Amino acid sequence: MKHFVIATHGYFSRELIRSAALIMGDGPEILHLCMCETTTGEEIRSRIRQKLEKCGQEDQVIMMTDVLGGSICTLCSEFLADSRVHVLAGVNMPMLLTVLGSWEFMDTEELIQEAVRSGREGICYVNGIQTDTEEELPV
């Protein structure tokens, strides 16, 4: 079984999940971790430990964080010794929508690769996309 965590600075993780639900409807349970002014690293570690304790030994936990090298990504990365844990940095809406639309049908490795791909492809300078009346913008 796959489990998901979105961990970001501020309330971005909570709002990203809410926004995705507006687009896709209800999906799998996603733990959101918000690193705010009053949040301590130990509070984040404790919530991650609690999540991992609820997961089976064959389960996989995909953690999507906002900034590579940021405090919340670093905290999540402390759990990489657990083979069930996978940490992705740079979470955005295209990445999350891909995960929500594909998690039941892809194995973990394939899902991670697809999530990273869609996250990257979802970033573009729209003015730089040349289209004519017969072409559509990439999805």
Side-chain angles (χ1 to χ4, degrees), residues 101-112:
S102 305
W103 71 277
E104 294 177 289
F105 309 106
M106 293 182 176
D107 65 33
T108 301
E109 183 178 325
E110 184 181 18
L111 180 62
I112 290 169

Side-chain angles (χ1 to χ4, degrees), residues 1-136:
M1 176 174 231
K2 296 178 191 78
H3 302 269
F4 303 99
V5 176
I6 299 182
T8 65
H9 294 86
Y11 297 103
F12 178 50
S13 58
R14 182 186 70 196
E15 298 306 320
L16 188 62
I17 294 166
R18 286 180 178 175
S19 297
L22 286 172
I23 296 168
M24 303 215 35
D26 291 333
E29 180 183 327
I30 302 173
L31 172 64
H32 68 272
L33 300 174
C34 302
M35 179 58 85
C36 299
E37 297 86 4
T38 59
T39 311
T40 67
E42 193 48 47
E43 289 171 327
I44 298 292
R45 285 183 196 96
S46 176
R47 292 195 59 204
I48 294 170
R49 276 190 220 100
Q50 289 171 8
K51 179 69 173 177
L52 291 172
E53 287 170 4
K54 292 178 183 177
C55 297
Q57 289 304 309
E58 300 300 316
D59 291 354
Q60 300 294 300
V61 181
I62 299 173
M63 299 183 187
M64 294 169 271
T65 68
D66 55 0
V67 180
L68 178 64
S71 57
I72 195 84
C73 183
T74 301
L75 286 166
C76 290
S77 296
E78 290 177 11
F79 293 86
L80 288 175
D82 186 327
S83 62
R84 301 173 297 172
V85 173
H86 307 273
V87 179
L88 287 68
V91 66
N92 60 18
M93 186 63 77
M95 178 187 286
L96 181 55
L97 294 177
T98 295
V99 167
L100 293 176
S102 305
W103 71 277
E104 294 177 289
F105 309 106
M106 293 182 176
D107 65 33
T108 301
E109 183 178 325
E110 184 181 18
L111 180 62
I112 290 169
Q113 290 174 0
E114 190 63 20
V116 170
R117 183 201 59 75
S118 66
R120 285 182 181 150
E121 288 181 2
I123 300 170
C124 66
Y125 177 51
V126 177
N127 291 21
I129 298 173
Q130 295 191 357
T131 63
D132 61 36
T133 57
E134 295 178 9
E135 277 187 54
E136 292 184 23

